[in-house]
Structure formats: structure tokens, C-alpha cells
């Protein structure tokens, strides 16, 4: 399985080499290697327990790796964690603001932990307030803010000291789609300005907005590439989408049909991966024959979710490397 | 380093200001406790109901009765002529004590002979009885020294157990212990909760990703509570002086030094506990139990250490309040300098150092 980073034009800001972390007998991160280029939006995609947060915590110097090595901004995570902490911003999965302090007080405090002082601190606070769109609510207690504002304020706090790299651990959990979209606009802006964004998510939509996506499953990095390149694992026309009256019963029918590699249920639709293109009529007939008609089958472009499911199945069928 | 600590301290003070429950508890609780304990925890006995059996009917006997009444401890409830009539008075509780003056009293005194006064006590509450007995002895001794011999006859077998010298007001002894108790309980609980709150809310994880070092976090976080606790201590001692006439005879400077050392130990203990608890609820319970019980029971605050069983006496050596109370009594009540209590101060320093070291090690490891 290819887990190699694309060659970066400049020196990578994050490198991981055979990084592993175990908790007792549980392997949370299993020999993971990758590199992140400056200014890149690097997505870590995986379900809960895939090892995303553990990897981020190792990179932020909060957790020591069991084996392997990693560098962030040129510093080793094991021996130079203190220096890494001055050069990164981190938004943890849990909410990281003090809800009993005002917007301004939170910014003052987080700036203070990075030794921001005087006019520079003031400029950065103004910047963060503007980014979060909270100009009129500087003196509002954070607990009175809606989730979307809190998320952007938390990001502002993590960026006060102008870190070249920012780690965002599932930053948009529990936020409505509009706030989520605005948050990702911010991430795009950061990237354009040269900040490296390392973001974990289990949302396919968000992963689509990353420059490159690493697929994590059970502690292992299964694939790493741009979204477009990842989708090429399906040759043109081999991914079919079927709609029929009883989708749940149709899964077995499709899996039994010769020429179908695998099938999966996507809500009220089914996706089938076929050995060759042009199999839509075959599948439609098979469903009709099984009494699950009328069925409509057509070729669709693969979504990231198709890629994710396929990659995991391949990895599990192919055994461990 | 200073800026980061300052940022932490300012943040903590802001949160404390918003959290009126905690702030109120820290500042108000000592006062409430001082009032409750100060008034309730008194071993003084006043208004003792005294029955008089005057068989002498003489000037000398009336003078004797008068000295009892004017002492301020006794209240006259009955005068009877027959000792047999005392029983119902004691049974009903109308009298706690009776003074029996024999018929020959006046003649004996006039003739220069030894005479006897009988003092009858309700000994069902042995502690109160022994206190009353102390008062009576004093009064009789002050009449004409050497003239009378006092014979005590408790109707119910009383075992006198003298805790505090009865002619001293007990509040004077209790207040230093009370101050120690209040300070320990409030600082330990406040610091434990302050750290565990960050863990519970998830902000600790974000703090750890900043350049803020563990030691900066600890100093910045505990400094405000040290400040508030010092205020509490000052308030408690002032209140004790106003309400209970507890003087501060010794040096305020030494008092401050001792208090700060003692508080540092309490803060250290709170931080240490905070590394063991993940939720505020658990933290509150272990903080309350581990600070309140030893300070109340094993410090000499209420129960003298010398009257404890051997194992408890040994355990009391690791209770910091033991040394603080001992030193505080010396400084506050006697006004003596470090030459008397240096070993208590040293024990406090040792305790503080060990606990703070433990707290730092645990914090660095667990953070």
C-alpha cells in the first residue's frame, strides 16, 4: 500500500518515520510515516479510534511515541517538545476556551501563555477578534456565544503567536454546516498565507477540502494522496449506484452477481464496485429478477467515502504488511 | 516565565471573581465557621444553677454565698434548710450544684477552728462538673486563704477530667486551632478544584500544548489562592480579636511567616490531590476528607495530642496543623519568639517542602 508523501518542493514542516504508540496491548498508532509540506492543508481522515488524535498528540509533544520518530518545524518531538510548543498552535478535540471568561479575557490569557505583550499582543487580539467576527462582543462571556463563534475564537487563540503550523483535532464537531463552511474558508486563508494546517476529521466533506488526505484505520496509515489521486483506485465507469424499493435486501443480491467485487449501502442507495465498466444493465436485471424492481443503476464518480471503504476492505483482505 | 505566571494568575483571579460561590466560600466560610465554632465550641461554663443550704444563718455564711454569686459563674436558684430537699432539685435539673454550709460554720471560724463547706455537684456531665469544681475551689481559696478545707461530694460518681484550665477562657485556646482548621480546609479544597476543573473541562490539554511549563502553571494557579487564604487568615484573626478578645501578643511578622509556610503546604497538598482525581466531585471529597479530619481530630485543635492512644500520636506527626497550632498558640497567646517554637516552624517547612516536591513531581508526570 502506498503511504509515501509526494515529494515536497521545500523542506517538510512535519515528518513522521515509523511512528508507533501503544497503550498496553492496544496499538493506537502503528508504524506511520508521512511528510507535510509548508502551507499544505493536510487531512487526517478516519473513524473514532483510528489513531488520529494520538498521532496529533505525539506531534504536539503531549505524548511520547513508543517507537519511531517525528519532527515538527525541524525539532524532534521526543527531545525538543518545549521548542515545538512555541511554534505550533493546537486546537484540541475538547473545547479549549474558558467559558467563564469573556472573549477578550480569553485572548489575553492565551496570548500571555505565549509571552505576547504590549502592542503586539493588542494587534494580534484585534486580528483574532476580526477573524472570529466578534468585534461587537469582546466583553461577552464565551459561554454565551454560539458554537460557530467559539470555534473560530478557539482557532484565533491558537494562532495568536503566528505559529507556522497549526494542529486542529476535529475542529468542527457539533457546529452547523454554515459555520463549518466559514471555518473552512478560514483554513483556506491560512494556507494561502503559508501556514501549514494539520487537521483531523471523520467528515468526508471536510476531507475533500484538504490538499492531501491520509486515510487512517486501526492505527495504520492506509493511503495518502490528493483526493483526486485517491479516487483513481476506481477505473472509469466501474463504480455503480443503484436505487431500488428495498435497498437493505438488495445488498446480498448485488454481492452474488458475477463481476461485482463488492457492494455497500449508502443510506437509501447502494454502491457496487465492478471488475469492468458497462455493467449497469446486468445489475438492474439482477435486482429485477430478485423481485426488487424497478431498479435504476448508473455509473457515478467515486466519493471519498467509496475510496475509504474500498481501501479499508483491501487492507483487511490483503492482511498486514 | 514571569509573564506566563502572571497571565495564569490574572486568569485565575478573573475566574474567581465570576465564580461567586467559590469566592464566597473562601472568604465567607472562615467567618461563618469562626462564629459557629467560636460560640459553640466553648468549654466555659456560665450561669451554673446553684442551690444553697445555709444551716449556719450567720454573717459569715451569707458572705460565703455572696462570693459565689458575685464570681459571675453561679446563678442562685434556691435556698433550702434541709439537705434532703436537694435530691429533687438535682433530679429535676433545677440545680447543677449545691453549697452546703454546716450549722457550726460561724462558730468554727470565730473560734479559729478548721471548718468544712460541702459542695455537691451533678456529675453526669463529667466535663462540666470538673469545670464547676475548679471554679468552686478558686472561690473558696480566695475567701480566707488556708481557713477553709473544701470537701467535695459528687452524688453520682464523677471522674474529673480537666481539659483546659477552667479559669482561662477556652475560646482563647480554640481560636488558633480554628484558624489553622479553616485555612487548611479552604486552601486544599480550592486548589484541588482549581486544577481538576481544567482537566474536567478539557482546557488542561490545551494548556499543555502551550509553552507554559508545569511549574509555571502551578505557581500561577496557586498564587491567587495563597492571596485569598492570607486575607481569610487576617480576617479570622481580626474577628477573633474583636469577638472573643483573643489578643495577638506576638509579632505580626512571625505570624505572617508561619501562616504562609503553612498555607504553602496546604496548597501543595491540594495540587498533589488534583493529580489523583479526574472529576471535581471526587476531588472535592478527597480534598475535604484529607484536610478536615486530620486537622480537626489529630492536630491538638480539640483533643490534646498527649491524651491520644499511641498510634494516633504517631500519626499526628504528619498533620501540619499540629505544628501550626502549637506555634500559633505560642505567638498569639504568649507572644514569644522563634526561640520557643523554632522546631514547629521547621516541621512546617519540612512538610511544605516534601508536599510541594511531591506535587511537582506528580504534576510533571501526569500533565
Amino acid at each position: 500500500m502506498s503511504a509515501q508523501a509526494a515529494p515536497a518542493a521545500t523542506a517538510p514542516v512535519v515528518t513522521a518515520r515509523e511512528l508507533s504508540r501503544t497503550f498496553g496491548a492496544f496499538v493506537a498508532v502503528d508504524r506511520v510515516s508521512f511528510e507535510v509540506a509548508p502551507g499544505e492543508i493536510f487531512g487526517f481522515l478516519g473513524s473514532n479510534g483510528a489513531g488520529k488524535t494520538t498521532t496529533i498528540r505525539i506531534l504536539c509533544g503531549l505524548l511520547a511515541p513508543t517507537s519511531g520518530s517525528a519532527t515538527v518545524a525541524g525539532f524532534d518531538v521526543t527531545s525538543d517538545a518545549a521548542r515545538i510548543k512555541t511554534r505550533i498552535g493546537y486546537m484540541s478535540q475538547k473545547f479549549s476556551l474558558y467559558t467563564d471568561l469573556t472573549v477578550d479575557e480569553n485572548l489575553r490569557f492565551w496570548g500571555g501563555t505565549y509571552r505576547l505583550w504590549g502592542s503586539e499582543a493588542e494587534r494580534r487580539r484585534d486580528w483574532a477578534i476580526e477573524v472570529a467576527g466578534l468585534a461587537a462582543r469582546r466583553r461577552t462571556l464565551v459561554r454565551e456565544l454560539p458554537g460557530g463563534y467559539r470555534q473560530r475564537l478557539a482557532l484565533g487563540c491558537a494562532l495568536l503567536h503566528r505559529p507556522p503550523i497549526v494542529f486542529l483535532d476535529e475542529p468542527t464537531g457539533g457546529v452547523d454546516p454554515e459555520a463549518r463552511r466559514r471555518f473552512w474558508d478560514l483554513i483556506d486563508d491560512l494556507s494561502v498565507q503559508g501556514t501549514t494546517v494539520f487537521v483531523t476529521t471523520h467528515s468526508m466533506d471536510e476531507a475533500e477540502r484538504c490538499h492531501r488526505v491520509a486515510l487512517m484505520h486501526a492505527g495504520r496509515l492506509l493511503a495518502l494522496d490528493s483526493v483526486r489521486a485517491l479516487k483513481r483506485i476506481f477505473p472509469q465507469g466501474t463504480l455503480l449506484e443503484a436505487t431500488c424499493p428495498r435497498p437493505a435486501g438488495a445488498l446480498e443480491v448485488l454481492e452474488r452477481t458475477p463481476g461485482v467485487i463488492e457492494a455497500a449501502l449508502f443510506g437509501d442507495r447502494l454502491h457496487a464496485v465492478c471488475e469492468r465498466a458497462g455493467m449497469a444493465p446486468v445489475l438492474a436485471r439482477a435486482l429485477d429478477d430478485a423481485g426488487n424492481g424497478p431498479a435504476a443503476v448508473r455509473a457515478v464518480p467515486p466519493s471519498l467515502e467509496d475510496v475509504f471503504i474500498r481501501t479499508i476492505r483491501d487492507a483487511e483482505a490483503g492482511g498486514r504488511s | 516565565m514571569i509573564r506566563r505566571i502572571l497571565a495564569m494568575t490574572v486568569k485565575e483571579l478573573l475566574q474567581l471573581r465570576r465564580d461567586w460561590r467559590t469566592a464566597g466560600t473562601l472568604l465567607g466560610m472562615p467567618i461563618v465557621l469562626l462564629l459557629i465554632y467560636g460560640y459553640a465550641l466553648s468549654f466555659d461554663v456560665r450561669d451554673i444553677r446553684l442551690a444553697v443550704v445555709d444551716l449556719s444563718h450567720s454573717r459569715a455564711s451569707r458572705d460565703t454565698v455572696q462570693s459565689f454569686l458575685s464570681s459571675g459563674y453561679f446563678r442562685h436558684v434556691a435556698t433550702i434548710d434541709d439537705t434532703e430537699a436537694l435530691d429533687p432539685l438535682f433530679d429535676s435539673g433545677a440545680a447543677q450544684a449545691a453549697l452546703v454550709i454546716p450549722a457550726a460554720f460561724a462558730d468554727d471560724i470565730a473560734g479559729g477552728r478548721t471548718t468544712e463547706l460541702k459542695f455537691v455537684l451533678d456529675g453526669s456531665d463529667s466535663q462540666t462538673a470538673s469545670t464547676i469544681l475548679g471554679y468552686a475551689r478558686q472561690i473558696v481559696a480566695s475567701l480566707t486563704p488556708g481557713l477553709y478545707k473544701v470537701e467535695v461530694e459528687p452524688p453520682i460518681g464523677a471522674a474529673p477530667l480537666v481539659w483546659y484550665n477552667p479559669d482561662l477562657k477556652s475560646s482563647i485556646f480554640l481560636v488558633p486551632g480554628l484558624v489553622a482548621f479553616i485555612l487548611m480546609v479552604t486552601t486544599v479544597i480550592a486548589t484541588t478544584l482549581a486544577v481538576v476543573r481544567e482537566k474536567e473541562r478539557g482546557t488542561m490539554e490545551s494548556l499543555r500544548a502551550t509553552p507554559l511549563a508545569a511549574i509555571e502553571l502551578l505557581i500561577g494557579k496557586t498564587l491567587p489562592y495563597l492571596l485569598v487564604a492570607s486575607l481569610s487568615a487576617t480576617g479570622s484573626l481580626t474577628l477573633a480579636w474583636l469577638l472573643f478578645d483573643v489578643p495577638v501578643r506576638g509579632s505580626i511578622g512571625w505570624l505572617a511567616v508561619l501562616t504562609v509556610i503553612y498555607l504553602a503546604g496546604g496548597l501543595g497538598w491540594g495540587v498533589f490531590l488534583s493529580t489523583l482525581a479526574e472529576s471535581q466531585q471526587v476531588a472535592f471529597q478527597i480534598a475535604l476528607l484529607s484536610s478536615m479530619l486530620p486537622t480537626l481530630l489529630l492536630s491538638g485543635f480539640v483533643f490534646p495530642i498527649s491524651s491520644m492512644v499511641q498510634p494516633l500520636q504517631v500519626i499526628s506527626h504528619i498533620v501540619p496543623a499540629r505544628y501550626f497550632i502549637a506555634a500559633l498558640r505560642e505567638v498569639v497567646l504568649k507572644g514569644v519568639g522563634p526561640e520557643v517554637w523554632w522546631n514547629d516552624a521547621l516541621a512546617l517547612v519540612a512538610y511544605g517542602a516534601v508536599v510541594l516536591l511531591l506535587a511537582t513531581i506528580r504534576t510533571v508526570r501526569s500533565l
Side-chain angles (χ1 to χ4, degrees):
Chain A
M1 194 85 257
S2 162
Q4 283 298 303
T10 33
V13 280
V14 180
T15 62
R17 299 248 175 281
E18 294 286 301
L19 203 60
S20 294
R21 172 72 205 202
T22 55
F23 295 100
F26 176 68
V27 183
V29 176
D30 191 3
R31 287 163 292 151
V32 166
S33 300
F34 58 85
E35 289 183 348
V36 183
E40 190 175 12
I41 302 177
F42 187 86
F44 239 45
L45 180 67
S47 48
N48 289 334
K52 305 186 304 275
T53 298
T54 307
T55 308
I56 271 205
R57 296 187 72 218
I58 292 172
L59 294 177
C60 291
L62 302 177
L63 193 68
T66 310
S67 65
S69 65
T71 64
V72 172
F75 297 107
D76 187 87
V77 291
T78 318
S79 55
D80 253 340
R83 267 190 261 191
I84 288 176
K85 286 175 183 175
T86 63
R87 287 164 176 81
I88 59 163
Y90 171 56
M91 231 180 113
S92 77
Q93 207 166 356
K94 274 195 171 181
F95 188 61
S96 59
L97 296 172
Y98 293 98
T99 51
D100 51 351
L101 295 183
T102 66
V103 170
D104 221 38
E105 287 162 355
N106 263 288
L107 287 168
R108 276 171 200 276
F109 171 67
W110 290 108
T113 62
Y114 290 100
R115 301 190 66 233
L116 281 182
W117 209 252
S119 58
E120 167 68 1
E122 208 171 307
R123 267 199 304 278
R124 294 304 291 162
R125 280 203 300 276
D126 289 345
W127 170 84
I129 295 266
E130 198 196 311
V131 160
L134 287 166
R137 308 173 89 162
R138 290 184 87 125
R139 283 160 207 274
T140 307
L141 289 180
V142 166
R143 78 162 79 93
E144 289 158 14
L145 292 178
Y149 284 100
R150 293 190 194 185
Q151 233 88 23
R152 270 174 285 152
L153 180 61
L155 181 63
C157 286
L159 291 168
L160 282 172
H161 56 302
R162 302 176 194 273
I165 313 154
V166 58
F167 291 90
L168 312 175
D169 195 3
E170 300 200 0
T172 56
V175 181
D176 63 78
E178 171 58 16
R180 192 180 277 224
R181 194 187 58 73
R182 290 193 59 183
F183 190 87
W184 274 87
D185 289 347
L186 261 177
I187 291 179
D188 286 340
D189 290 347
L190 284 173
S191 168
V192 168
Q193 287 155 25
T195 305
T196 308
V197 181
F198 190 115
V199 57
T200 74
T201 180
H202 52 227
S203 146
M204 303 295 162
D205 297 344
E206 291 189 351
E208 300 260 6
R209 296 188 67 157
C210 299
H211 295 143
R212 284 192 305 152
V213 175
L215 297 185
M216 286 284 285
H217 179 69
R220 294 177 62 223
L221 193 114
L222 299 183
L224 168 61
D225 218 324
S226 68
V227 173
R228 182 186 292 205
L230 286 172
K231 286 178 178 174
R232 279 190 213 121
I233 61 167
F234 298 104
Q236 187 76 36
T238 59
L239 185 72
L240 303 180
E241 185 183 81
T243 49
C244 59
R246 295 188 310 280
L251 192 61
E252 209 186 325
V253 177
L254 291 184
E255 277 174 339
R256 274 203 319 258
T257 309
V260 171
I261 299 171
E262 64 186 8
L265 199 57
F266 276 67
D268 59 346
R269 288 142 202 271
L270 294 132
H271 279 196
V273 180
C274 304
E275 286 167 352
R276 55 189 164 78
M279 278 190 54
V282 181
L283 295 195
R285 204 174 325 118
L287 287 171
D288 283 337
D289 291 348
N292 205 339
V297 182
R298 61 186 178 98
V300 288
S303 69
L304 201 51
E305 195 162 1
D306 293 308
V307 175
F308 191 58
I309 291 171
R310 181 69 201 277
T311 308
I312 289 173
R313 286 197 180 165
D314 279 354
E316 283 173 350
R320 296 292 143 111
S321 57
Chain B
M1 178 163 183
I2 301 291
R3 282 179 190 178
R4 288 197 288 258
I5 291 177
L6 199 65
M8 193 75 205
T9 301
V10 168
K11 184 218 91 176
E12 210 62 33
L13 282 174
L14 282 170
Q15 287 185 307
L16 197 57
R17 203 189 62 188
R18 297 253 158 71
D19 184 7
W20 57 268
R21 258 183 302 191
T22 304
T25 307
L26 281 178
L27 289 170
M29 210 51 186
I31 293 169
V32 173
L33 283 176
L34 192 68
L35 291 177
I36 293 175
Y37 282 80
Y39 283 115
L41 249 190
S42 168
F43 299 127
D44 296 343
V45 185
R46 298 277 145 147
D47 279 339
I48 303 156
R49 297 181 293 280
L50 181 73
V52 176
V53 185
D54 187 355
L55 303 174
S56 164
H57 296 292
S58 61
R59 197 173 154 206
S61 69
R62 281 190 295 275
D63 283 351
T64 306
V65 171
Q66 195 50 48
S67 347
F68 269 82
L69 298 181
S70 60
S71 71
Y73 296 121
F74 294 95
R75 182 160 56 86
H76 181 241
V77 287
T79 301
I80 45 180
D81 293 325
D82 185 3
T83 45
E84 293 299 311
L86 276 177
D87 280 349
L89 282 177
F90 274 99
D91 286 348
S92 68
Q96 289 169 282
L99 178 66
V100 183
I101 303 173
F105 186 70
D107 292 342
D108 283 344
I109 290 177
R113 289 184 298 276
T114 305
T115 187
E116 279 184 0
L117 277 174
K118 226 179 239 177
F119 195 68
V120 187
L121 270 173
D122 176 354
S124 54
D125 176 352
S126 64
Q127 195 189 322
T128 306
S130 66
T131 307
I132 297 173
L133 177 59
Y135 295 150
R137 281 210 168 108
Q138 247 185 317
I139 293 164
V140 173
S142 71
L143 284 175
T144 314
L147 202 57
Y148 308 125
K149 173 171 163 259
V150 184
E151 186 194 309
V152 181
E153 185 190 295
I156 303 160
L161 180 81
V162 179
W163 280 23
Y164 290 85
N165 187 344
D167 66 61
L168 273 178
K169 275 195 309 193
S170 56
S171 62
I172 286 185
F173 262 105
L174 287 175
V175 162
L178 203 48
V179 171
F181 173 72
I182 291 163
L183 291 182
M184 184 50 77
V185 173
T186 49
T187 52
V188 170
I189 291 177
T191 44
T192 310
L193 287 184
V195 179
V196 174
R197 198 180 299 133
E198 301 256 4
K199 286 208 267 183
E200 202 177 83
R201 291 180 183 174
T203 42
M204 192 57 100
E205 178 83 353
S206 302
L207 283 178
R208 291 189 51 213
T210 69
L212 196 73
I215 191 78
E216 294 169 338
L217 183 123
L218 286 189
I219 297 175
K221 221 168 180 24
T222 49
L223 215 53
Y225 293 100
L226 193 64
L227 215 73
V228 174
S230 303
L231 271 176
S232 281
T234 313
S236 302
L237 282 172
T238 311
L239 204 66
W241 171 63
L242 290 174
L243 293 180
F244 305 117
D245 292 328
V246 176
V248 179
R249 296 205 174 90
S251 137
I252 300 280
W254 281 123
L255 189 63
V257 169
L258 280 169
T259 308
V260 168
I261 300 173
Y262 177 66
L263 287 177
L267 293 167
W269 181 244
V271 172
F272 175 76
L273 290 181
S274 72
T275 62
L276 306 176
E278 289 299 321
S279 74
Q280 291 194 66
Q281 211 178 352
V282 173
F284 179 76
Q285 281 169 8
I286 57 175
L288 186 69
L289 283 180
S290 71
S291 61
M292 193 174 85
L293 291 184
T295 309
L296 189 63
L297 303 177
L298 297 175
S299 66
F301 167 25
V302 181
F303 309 107
I305 291 165
S306 55
S307 67
M308 291 172 191
V309 294
Q310 195 61 34
L312 288 183
Q313 286 200 23
V314 173
I315 294 172
S316 79
H317 282 286
I318 58 163
V319 177
R322 171 197 172 133
Y323 306 105
F324 184 59
I325 291 173
L328 211 54
R329 280 180 180 154
E330 300 290 345
V331 175
V332 170
L333 305 179
K334 293 191 191 161
V336 292
E339 66 281 357
V340 178
W341 44 260
W342 63 270
N343 48 348
D344 289 316
L346 216 59
L348 280 179
V349 170
Y351 174 83
V354 169
V355 167
L356 283 172
L357 190 71
L358 268 177
T360 311
I361 291 171
R362 283 281 315 179
T363 310
V364 168
R365 207 170 286 168
S366 73
L367 280 191

